[in-house]
Amino acid sequence: MPPRVDFYVSAEAGEHARLRLACRVAEKAYLAKQRVLVVSDDSALLARLDELLWTFADGSFVPHDVVTVAGADCPAPVALTTGPLPARHSDVLINLGSSAPPFFEQFARVAEVLDSRPEVRATGRERVKSYRARSIEPATHNVESA
């Protein structure tokens, strides 16, 4: 069965708005006891998300760790990676990359996180087309500022 794909689109522009929204999606999945993988092709962006996951909201705690070796055991429920896939994280994939990862079908759910910058929306539209080409109809959720 193909994964459910949801696009979360922030009304705000900018990387910080996108990362805050990614934190909210990761927190919601974590609180639902799901194992989450956040992937990006930009290691600097992933490092900023790593920091933000500790501070994005008062009282929030999203246990996470960075994965650098494929197949590594990651005891944290949220794993961050630029490519190496950890063992046992197959519930939710949060994609912060510029294209749909080739392994996205290994997950039950895919969350694409966008902000309102035109270039980010444009790459998001390309990902919508790629999912539709695989007979997956993504849902879109417009999200007001955090």
Side-chain angles (χ1 to χ4, degrees):
M1 185 157 117
R4 178 177 131 197
V5 178
D6 293 284
F7 278 77
Y8 294 90
V9 184
S10 174
E12 294 180 59
E15 179 184 278
H16 189 72
R18 185 177 183 206
L19 293 178
R20 284 185 56 78
L21 181 52
C23 287
R24 289 172 54 194
V25 172
E27 180 184 45
K28 187 173 181 181
Y30 158 66
L31 292 174
K33 306 224 181 299
Q34 296 173 321
R35 296 192 59 84
V36 180
L37 179 68
V38 182
V39 66
S40 176
D41 43 19
D42 180 344
S43 59
L45 179 104
L46 214 55
R48 289 188 289 279
L49 178 68
D50 183 16
E51 289 297 318
L52 192 58
L53 277 166
W54 296 112
T55 62
F56 80 97
D58 289 341
S60 285
F61 176 67
V62 180
H64 65 282
D65 204 356
V66 177
V67 174
T68 57
V69 177
D73 185 40
C74 180
V78 177
L80 312 178
T81 187
T82 56
L85 298 181
R88 301 184 330 239
H89 279 70
S90 61
D91 295 327
V92 179
L93 170 67
I94 298 175
N95 185 26
L96 295 174
S98 56
S99 62
F103 50 80
F104 81 89
E105 291 181 288
Q106 297 175 27
F107 291 81
R109 186 168 162 244
V110 177
E112 294 276 355
V113 181
L114 310 175
D115 64 67
S116 65
R117 290 175 290 175
E119 65 274 16
V120 173
R121 296 259 178 123
T123 61
R125 282 189 291 276
E126 290 304 312
R127 290 196 299 282
V128 167
K129 289 177 190 174
S130 73
Y131 289 121
R132 286 181 175 157
R134 294 180 179 208
S135 300
I136 298 170
E137 187 57 43
T140 300
H141 309 277
N142 294 308
V143 180
E144 296 301 316
S145 60

